[in-house]
Amino acid sequence: ATVVQGGSVVGILGEVHPAVLKRAKIKRARPCYFEVSVDALHAARVDLPYADPSAAHPLSRSLAFSLPPRFEAERIVDTLRAAGPSALESVGITDRFDHEEGGVAMRAITFDLTFDNSDQSLSADAVNETLRALQEAVVAAHGPAGVAIR
């Protein structure tokens, strides 16, 4: 395959030919190659403005819940976002663990919550208290459907 920039071929890439692999006695790998013009890389360079990183890093925490079969994890994400403070920057799913509880197939889903702390107003204790409130909100909203804190 060729690498094209501005209508001109500036590089190539592909898989090494089987005859070359045989001569090199390479049996269990499928090596690839890539070659690109350094001049083309410099010509395509885009200078991005530099911004100093914030002195305060976001605070991240995880919450895990057991979900019954067919219960959509996105419903938990929606509840966490709705019940969370404005500092709750993102909610994502980071892990899934399949298990049984009382003979019922369940899923333990771990959610990653990130809180914006750019103004350095959040303490770890405040975020931990928020997590307790979020757990309670999820159990109140979805506990009757079989969702539980893990």
Side-chain angles (χ1 to χ4, degrees), residues 10-34:
V10 296
I12 57 172
L13 65 116
E15 191 172 330
V16 176
H17 193 277
V20 175
L21 297 178
K22 188 174 183 178
R23 283 194 308 270
K25 298 180 183 176
I26 298 173
K27 296 179 182 178
R28 293 194 177 107
R30 296 178 63 181
C32 297
Y33 61 90
F34 175 72

Side-chain angles (χ1 to χ4, degrees), residues 17-110:
H17 193 277
V20 175
L21 297 178
K22 188 174 183 178
R23 283 194 308 270
K25 298 180 183 176
I26 298 173
K27 296 179 182 178
R28 293 194 177 107
R30 296 178 63 181
C32 297
Y33 61 90
F34 175 72
E35 180 181 331
V36 67
S37 165
V38 173
D39 293 335
L41 290 176
H42 288 295
R45 183 177 149 180
V46 176
D47 289 324
L48 299 175
Y50 175 79
D52 286 326
S54 172
H57 298 286
L59 297 173
S60 294
R61 298 290 187 272
S62 295
L63 288 177
F65 296 96
S66 286
L67 279 62
R70 296 190 174 88
F71 189 94
E72 295 177 3
E74 191 65 27
R75 292 173 60 190
I76 304 295
V77 172
D78 292 342
T79 300
L80 291 169
R81 286 185 178 139
S86 60
L88 181 58
E89 193 171 78
S90 67
V91 178
I93 296 173
T94 58
D95 191 32
R96 172 184 170 159
F97 174 70
D98 295 319
H99 64 286
E100 284 190 15
E101 288 182 16
V104 176
M106 299 285 280
R107 296 168 295 142
I109 305 292
T110 303

